[in-house]
Structure formats: structure tokens, C-alpha cells
Amino acid sequence: MLRRNLTPSRKKQIKRVLLSRRTRSTGPDEATVQAVVNRDGGCVVCGSALFGARGIDWSIHHRRGRDGKPDSHSVQNLIAVCGGDNVTGCHGRIHSRRSESQPAGWWLSRVAGEDPLTVPLLVDRESRWVYLTADGRYSTEAPGVSG
């Protein structure tokens, strides 16, 4: 096996590439995250306040998983939940109890092609049903229905 001695400049290049790969964001942009947090005001499932760091104490959950569709990271497909990953808090509850999460609208089927605009979800400690709009609001009316 050949052993190569890396020069200091080559080590910096390698480190720079590794750091850029590690910090690349694959989620929604900050403006979208802020719109979701402003709309939801706390955890959609249990109603608790969002505090601490995103990704550690709370997170943004994709109702229909990341599937490459244009609306994957849009406000109607995202909800704020407590729990920093797919295991803890209400985020963990959504992922571990799909038979409960899907009827509540927190989990949508990629296979069935469910549209986040047309599937309502339970909010406010499971006390009311709403639709999420493309402009970042709650609506009690189904899309295309005028009151």
C-alpha cells in the first residue's frame, strides 16, 4: 500500500471540502422555516412552545416526506413540532405511530400522492381541523371552497 504525505495546503483543501459537505442544507430555507413557526406558534401536535435550538429541541416535519416534488419544502407541507429528530418528542410520535399520524394529517403518503393542500390536519392539542395554505396560513375551508 502506498502512503502519501499530504502537504499542509492539500490538508486544508480536503478539510474545506468535508466541511462544505457536512454543512450543506437540504431542508427548507430560513424564510420558509420562519413562516411555518409564525403560523404554527408552537408544536402543532401537543401545543408546547418551541424553545431552544432547531434540530435539537424542535424541528420542522415534512408531512409528505422529501420526495423531490416542487412543494416538498413548501409551507403547506411543513409543520413545527417538538423533538429535534424523528425519534424524540412529537416528531418521534409522528414517525413511530403512523396509524395515528396519518388520520390526523401529520403524515401523508408519498405512494398515494397525497397533496398537502387538500388534506386537513389536527392542530391546537388535537382540538380543531385546518387546511394549510400555500401562503402560510390556516384555513377552515377546503381549497376551492368559498364561504
Side-chain angles (χ1 to χ4, degrees):
M1 177 185 232
L2 276 174
R3 237 180 136 184
R4 282 178 39 173
N5 289 328
L6 296 176
T7 64
S9 63
R10 180 68 179 138
K11 285 181 183 178
K12 282 183 184 178
Q13 287 174 340
I14 291 171
K15 186 175 182 179
R16 192 174 302 127
V17 168
L18 291 175
L19 286 176
S20 68
R21 285 183 187 159
R22 193 176 340 154
T23 59
R24 185 176 66 120
S25 175
T26 60
D29 61 36
E30 279 306 310
T32 303
V33 170
Q34 196 57 51
V36 171
V37 170
N38 290 342
R39 177 196 64 209
D40 296 342
C43 177
V44 165
V45 178
C46 71
S48 67
L50 301 178
F51 62 90
R54 177 177 165 217
I56 297 172
D57 301 302
W58 63 276
S59 54
I60 298 294
H61 169 69
H62 290 77
R63 296 173 67 202
R64 189 188 67 231
R66 300 174 193 209
D67 55 9
K69 292 187 178 177
D71 65 348
S72 184
H73 297 309
S74 62
V75 290
Q76 70 265 21
N77 191 43
L78 304 171
I79 55 175
V81 290
C82 65
D85 53 31
N86 297 353
V87 179
T88 59
C90 290
H91 202 171
R93 174 182 171 189
I94 290 169
H95 282 271
S96 66
R97 300 182 193 167
R98 291 187 188 166
S99 62
E100 171 188 323
S101 301
Q102 197 162 9
W106 305 323
W107 179 274
L108 303 181
S109 171
R110 281 188 276 190
V111 175
E114 292 180 298
D115 183 351
L117 285 172
T118 62
V119 179
L121 73 149
L122 276 172
V123 296
D124 296 335
R125 296 188 180 124
E126 303 179 43
S127 66
R128 69 183 178 120
W129 288 95
V130 297
Y131 292 89
L132 302 182
T133 66
D135 61 356
R137 297 179 297 110
Y138 286 157
S139 174
T140 55
E141 301 289 327
V145 176
S146 58

